[in-house]
Amino acid sequence: EVQLVESGGGPVQPGGSLRLACAASGFTFSNFAMAWVRQAPGKGLEWVSGFSRRDNNTYYADSVKGRFTISRDNSKNTLYLQMNSLRVEDTAVYYCARVSYYDILPGYQPYVWFDPWGQGTLVTVSS
Amino acid sequence: FEVTQSPSTLSASVGDRVTITCRASHSISSYLNWYQQKPGKPPKFLIYGASTLQNGVPSRFSGSGSGTEFTLTISSLQPEDFATYYCQQSYTFPKVSFGGGTKVEIK
């Protein structure tokens, strides 16, 4: 069974740091791009960060660029999100997700989607 | 590339036909996905490529559209379909974006 389990969330003061982890199982982790998505209380989904499919480059939403760092350890089947200089507005449930894809035709960008998702870990930034 | 959903809330009854719209700020071809989320749960993937159902998704769900306008339709709403639905554009992957969500509630 494909499974993603996040950990590392909790309360933290503004300006503090946290490192989230996402343990993957049931699939060959190194073969898949991964992403982090967050959801503030009562709000919608916001993409935070992710890896590209082919070249393993990293990408960030403008709201977290320069403060958050995504990384992965394929030997441990684990995805990470290092969060520094946390702000009150970073309070959210953080989900990790596997990037799945369907190749349409040579030369065309594949369809990609996020599936599955972990159960999420809550980060609360408050003084 | 932004995606905007409407309505933000929809009240419907069991058996109703329900349509949710997602509009993109620029053409995204068919790079549009749909997810369902229930309270306290992670999103569940439903549709990719604007219209292709994930395995196991009931056939009462359907998606259509291309370019900048897309729809998710539930042909006959069931009790388990009351949830919030999100569209997601993947045209700019790895940087993707989600719509604001549409809550389908009981009338």
Side-chain angles (χ1 to χ4, degrees), chain B residues 7-75:
Chain B
S8 55
T9 306
L10 188 160
S11 297
S13 302
V14 173
D16 284 354
R17 181 182 181 88
V18 163
T19 298
I20 298 168
T21 298
C22 181
R23 289 187 174 87
S25 58
H26 301 78
S27 176
I28 57 171
S29 184
S30 297
Y31 293 91
L32 195 285
N33 307 319
W34 290 97
Y35 299 84
Q36 175 195 67
Q37 187 181 33
K38 296 183 178 179
K41 298 292 187 182
K44 174 189 172 185
F45 169 61
L46 297 177
I47 290 172
Y48 74 89
S51 61
T52 302
L53 262 61
Q54 163 76 321
N55 291 339
V57 173
S59 59
R60 61 181 180 273
F61 289 89
S62 64
S64 65
S66 67
T68 61
E69 187 150 337
F70 303 86
T71 58
L72 173 70
T73 300
I74 309 173
S75 59

Side-chain angles (χ1 to χ4, degrees), chain A residues 3-78:
Chain A
Q3 195 170 12
L4 300 172
V5 179
E6 301 94 337
S7 61
V12 61
Q13 292 191 334
S17 298
L18 275 180
R19 188 176 83 152
L20 306 183
C22 168
S25 60
F27 65 101
T28 305
F29 180 70
S30 58
N31 287 353
F32 287 84
M34 300 290 294
W36 288 99
V37 177
R38 70 183 179 183
Q39 187 169 36
K43 302 297 184 181
L45 302 170
E46 179 188 13
W47 173 81
V48 172
S49 180
F51 282 92
S52 57
R53 244 190 84 197
R54 300 199 184 279
D55 54 17
N56 226 29
N57 285 341
T58 57
Y59 296 81
Y60 300 92
D62 290 344
S63 57
V64 307
K65 200 167 188 178
R67 300 188 298 123
F68 289 14
T69 302
I70 189 173
S71 62
R72 63 192 298 164
D73 185 337
N74 290 338
S75 68
K76 295 182 178 179
N77 292 339
T78 301

Side-chain angles (χ1 to χ4, degrees), chain A residues 76-91:
Chain A
K76 295 182 178 179
N77 292 339
T78 301
L79 177 73
Y80 300 100
L81 186 68
Q82 177 67 43
M83 304 187 296
N84 299 331
S85 303
L86 281 161
R87 304 168 179 167
V88 171
E89 55 266 33
D90 295 319
T91 294

